[in-house]
Amino acid sequence: QVQLLESGGGLVQPGGSLRLSCAASERTFGTYTMAWFRQVPGKEREFVAAIRWRGYATQYADSVKGRFTISTENAKNTVDLQMNSLDTKDTAVYYCAYGPYAIISAMPSPASYRFWGPGTQVTVSS
């Protein structure tokens, strides 16, 4: 079982920025895909962004394109999500997800991920 832990959540004003991080303990981490999802009460889990480890393939939800950037750190089993120009609609619990290699078209599907972190709260409010 892969252990995932998100960090970096908090409260920011509209238009502000926040950077989330996700760490995983797995020797073969580099052969997998990692992603960010978010969820608010009463709504389904929503895809945000995904990235292939040791590659350059990325995928973003239309709602965050141009504002959010997913990235990995060299020699580290971590993935970050830089969130800029935050809007109140971005308020949610953000979850890190981990799964086997997935092609770009499969990255937005929750079924592509086998392990999930406990989540971190992001609140955007004036």
Side-chain angles (χ1 to χ4, degrees):
Q1 184 174 196
V2 178
Q3 300 275 359
L4 302 176
L5 181 62
E6 305 94 340
S7 63
L11 191 154
V12 296
Q13 296 188 78
S17 298
L18 205 62
R19 188 177 185 88
L20 306 182
S21 295
C22 176
S25 297
E26 177 61 36
R27 182 178 180 179
T28 59
F29 189 88
T31 68
Y32 290 84
T33 301
M34 295 190 71
W36 289 94
F37 290 78
R38 64 189 183 186
Q39 190 168 29
V40 299
K43 294 186 178 181
E44 297 293 323
R45 181 173 42 186
E46 178 188 13
F47 171 75
V48 177
I51 187 169
R52 276 190 58 245
W53 202 263
R54 298 203 304 162
Y56 301 101
T58 58
Q59 185 75 3
Y60 294 93
D62 289 341
S63 60
V64 306
K65 286 182 179 178
R67 299 190 298 120
F68 291 9
T69 302
I70 188 169
S71 62
T72 61
E73 294 188 22
N74 185 40
K76 291 182 178 295
N77 291 336
T78 59
V79 61
D80 294 345
L81 184 69
Q82 178 65 46
M83 305 185 294
N84 298 326
S85 301
L86 284 164
D87 186 86
T88 55
K89 294 182 179 180
D90 296 314
T91 296
V93 176
Y94 283 70
Y95 297 93
C96 178
Y98 173 95
Y101 175 85
I103 61 175
I104 294 176
S105 62
M107 288 180 173
S109 174
S112 297
Y113 306 93
R114 301 180 66 85
F115 303 101
W116 299 80
T120 184
Q121 177 70 47
V122 172
T123 302
V124 185
S125 179
S126 60

